[in-house]
Amino acid sequence: MESSIPNQTPIKKYRTPDGYTSDIAVFTIVNDEKPTLKLMLIKRTELNAEGEPNVEGGKWALPGGFVQPHETAYEAALRELKEETGVDGFHVKHFGVFDKPGRDPRGWIISNAHYAIVPNDYLEARQAADDAQEVELFSVDQVCQLSLAFDHREIIEEAMEWIKRDMVQTTLARSFLPPEFTISELQSVILAVVQDPQVESKPAFFAKAQKLPFIEVVLEKDGQAKTTQRNSSRPAKLYRFNDYELVKSIYR
C-alpha cells in the first residue's frame, strides 16, 4: 500500500530522481604572457573506493558529487570541492540545474551547477583527493580539446556565458584583483574573460573607469593618490572597490 501524507497526493505516485548532485566550475586568471582565463578540472579515477571501475573513469570533469541527506546542494558543492581538490574558503554561486534524462549512465541524476571566480593564489594549494586522481588548470581553448565526463561540457559552456555577462554587468572583476589595483589591471582582467570593444579601447576605458561609482582612488595619509610601478616604469594610481551598491535598471 502506498504511503501518503494526510490531505496530499500519495508519495509514490510520481517518479523520483536516482540521485542529486552538485558540480562546480572554478575559474581563475593566470598571468602567463598575458592574463588568461583558466578552469580547474579533476581527472576521475579509473577505480572507485570499492576497487570497481569508476563511472566515466579517466575523463576530466568538474569537481562535484552527491548531495547528502543532511545538507543542501550549495553545502554539498563546498564540501565536494574541498574533498576532491583541497581548495576551500571562497564564494560559490549557483547558476543552473541540469536534469535531462540520460545525462548520467547511473540513472536520472539531477545536478545543481555552481561557479566560483577566485584569484589564482587560492588555487596554489590544490591537490587531488577522494575520487580525483589529478587536478589541473586548463585554458578555455584547452578545455575544448578534452574528453569530458557526463554533460560537463554543456555545464561549462553555460558557466562561461554567466561569467561573461557578470563581468560586464557587475563588479565580478574584484574577485580576480588584489585589494588595490590599477586601471590597466582592471582592464586586463575584464578582457581575459570577454572581448568588449568599449573595454579594448585604452583611452575610452581609462576615461570611463575613473568615473565609475564603485571604485575609488586609494589615498596616502597626506591625502595624495597612492601609486605603484609594479607593471610600468611610470607611476600609476591605485584604486579599490568601495561599498557602492550597483543596481542595473532597464529604464536608464
Side-chain angles (χ1 to χ4, degrees):
M1 180 178 179
E2 290 184 339
S3 60
S4 62
I5 300 174
N7 302 319
Q8 294 189 23
T9 304
I11 294 174
K12 294 183 180 180
K13 181 176 181 179
Y14 301 103
R15 179 191 170 194
T16 57
D18 300 309
Y20 185 51
T21 65
S22 281
D23 292 304
I24 316 98
V26 180
F27 293 92
T28 191
I29 287 180
V30 176
N31 288 309
D32 294 328
E33 295 182 358
K34 65 177 183 178
T36 303
L37 183 70
K38 293 198 173 184
L39 172 69
M40 185 173 70
L41 297 176
I42 64 165
K43 193 170 189 179
R44 294 176 62 82
T45 56
E46 298 289 352
L47 302 177
N48 61 23
E50 291 71 37
E52 300 173 346
N54 198 14
V55 177
E56 302 281 52
K59 291 186 177 182
W60 290 96
L62 296 169
F66 286 91
V67 180
Q68 301 299 319
H70 64 279
E71 62 187 359
T72 65
Y74 179 80
E75 291 168 341
L78 299 179
R79 174 181 55 75
E80 287 288 347
L81 190 59
K82 174 66 174 177
E83 291 177 359
E84 294 189 353
T85 67
V87 175
D88 67 352
F90 53 84
H91 180 65
V92 174
K93 178 181 178 180
H94 180 271
F95 72 87
V97 174
F98 291 77
D99 59 359
K100 184 178 180 180
R103 62 174 298 274
D104 190 312
R106 293 168 293 190
W108 183 29
I109 309 295
I110 295 178
S111 179
N112 286 268
H114 305 75
Y115 80 80
I117 310 278
V118 299
N120 186 41
D121 56 3
Y122 274 64
L123 302 181
E124 291 178 352
R126 65 183 184 275
Q127 56 184 2
D130 200 28
D131 64 349
Q133 67 182 46
E134 296 180 45
V135 54
E136 297 291 346
L137 294 177
F138 296 93
S139 69
V140 176
D141 289 340
Q142 290 172 327
V143 170
C144 293
Q145 307 302 317
L146 297 175
S147 175
L148 300 178
F150 310 111
D151 58 351
H152 287 191
R153 189 175 304 281
E154 181 182 348
I155 296 176
I156 292 169
E157 289 173 352
E158 186 163 327
M160 281 297 306
E161 291 304 311
W162 275 88
I163 292 168
K164 291 177 181 178
R165 186 184 307 117
D166 285 352
M167 184 59 80
V168 296
Q169 294 183 354
T170 74
T171 58
L172 182 64
R174 72 191 304 167
S175 298
F176 290 117
L177 291 162
E180 299 178 358
F181 54 88
T182 66
I183 296 298
S184 180
E185 290 169 337
L186 174 61
Q187 181 189 36
S188 295
V189 158
I190 296 173
L191 291 177
V193 177
V194 59
Q195 299 304 304
D196 187 314
Q198 295 183 7
V199 179
E200 290 175 337
S201 171
K202 192 168 185 177
F205 183 74
F206 272 57
K208 173 75 173 181
Q210 295 179 68
K211 300 176 183 178
L212 295 172
F214 48 83
I215 66 171
E216 60 190 20
V217 176
V218 180
L219 301 178
E220 300 279 13
K221 291 182 179 180
D222 61 4
Q224 296 297 310
K226 188 176 181 180
T227 62
T228 181
Q229 291 179 270
R230 63 184 175 223
N231 297 314
S232 172
S233 59
R234 299 179 60 183
K237 289 182 181 180
L238 284 169
Y239 292 77
R240 64 188 171 201
F241 284 90
N242 56 35
D243 295 328
Y244 180 88
E245 185 175 352
L246 184 64
V247 179
K248 190 171 183 62
S249 170
I250 63 172
Y251 298 104
R252 293 179 182 174

